[in-house]
Amino acid sequence: MNNQTEFFSKNHNKLLNIAGWASNLAWLTLVLYIISTALVIFQDKANYQRMEAAMCSYQNGSDYWTTAKMDPVYYLVDIGSSMAKRLLDGFVYYIVLKGISLGLYMIIETDMNYREKENLGGEL
C-alpha cells in the first residue's frame, strides 16, 4: 500500500480527479443536450403562441399544429435545423470534455512511465 501511495503523487491524484469529473460531465452534457434537442418542438410551439398573443391574431382560430400542417416543409426545416444545431453543440461539448479527460489520463500515464523507467534505470 505504501508503494502505491508513492506511485501517485498529490498532483497525480488532483489530475485523476479532474479527469474523472470531465469524463462524467461529458456524459451528463450529452444527455442534457439530447433532452434539450427533444424539447425544441415545445419551445417552438411556445414561441408561436407568444407571437400569436402579441399580434392579437389568435382570434381567427389558427393554432400551432394547423399552421404546421399548412406549411410542413418550412416547419420541418426550421425545427430540424434547430434540433441539428443543438445536437451538434452537445456533441462538440462532449468531444471537448472527453478530450480533456483522455489528455489528462495520458499525461498521468506518461509521467508514471518516465518515473518507472528512472526507478528501473537507477536500480540496475
Side-chain angles (χ1 to χ4, degrees), residues 51-71:
M51 183 182 68
E52 288 290 319
M55 293 179 9
C56 297
S57 63
Y58 192 70
Q59 299 149 357
N60 63 7
S62 69
D63 69 335
Y64 178 77
W65 298 112
T66 56
T67 309
K69 287 179 185 176
M70 289 173 28
D71 194 8

Side-chain angles (χ1 to χ4, degrees), residues 8 20-21 42-43 45 47 68 71 97 118:
F8 289 116
W21 273 99
F42 299 110
Q43 183 182 6
K45 182 180 176 185
N47 288 340
D71 194 8
L97 286 168
E118 288 176 2

Side-chain angles (χ1 to χ4, degrees), residues 34-96:
I34 289 172
I35 292 170
S36 175
T37 300
L39 296 176
V40 165
I41 296 171
F42 299 110
Q43 183 182 6
D44 192 51
K45 182 180 176 185
N47 288 340
Y48 177 82
Q49 289 172 345
R50 271 184 255 144
M51 183 182 68
E52 288 290 319
M55 293 179 9
C56 297
S57 63
Y58 192 70
Q59 299 149 357
N60 63 7
S62 69
D63 69 335
Y64 178 77
W65 298 112
T66 56
T67 309
K69 287 179 185 176
M70 289 173 28
D71 194 8
V73 175
Y74 172 75
Y75 281 95
L76 285 177
V77 169
D78 183 41
I79 292 173
S81 65
S82 296
M83 290 174 88
K85 181 194 177 302
R86 219 172 261 188
L87 196 59
L88 186 62
D89 287 346
F91 187 67
V92 167
Y93 286 129
Y94 171 79
I95 294 294
V96 167

Side-chain angles (χ1 to χ4, degrees), residues 117-124:
K117 283 183 181 180
E118 288 176 2
N119 288 341
L120 290 176
E123 292 176 0
L124 292 176

Side-chain angles (χ1 to χ4, degrees), residues 19 22-23 95-108:
S23 180
I95 294 294
V96 167
L97 286 168
K98 279 304 251 188
I100 290 170
S101 173
L102 291 175
L104 290 174
Y105 283 132
M106 285 174 52
I107 289 171
I108 294 168

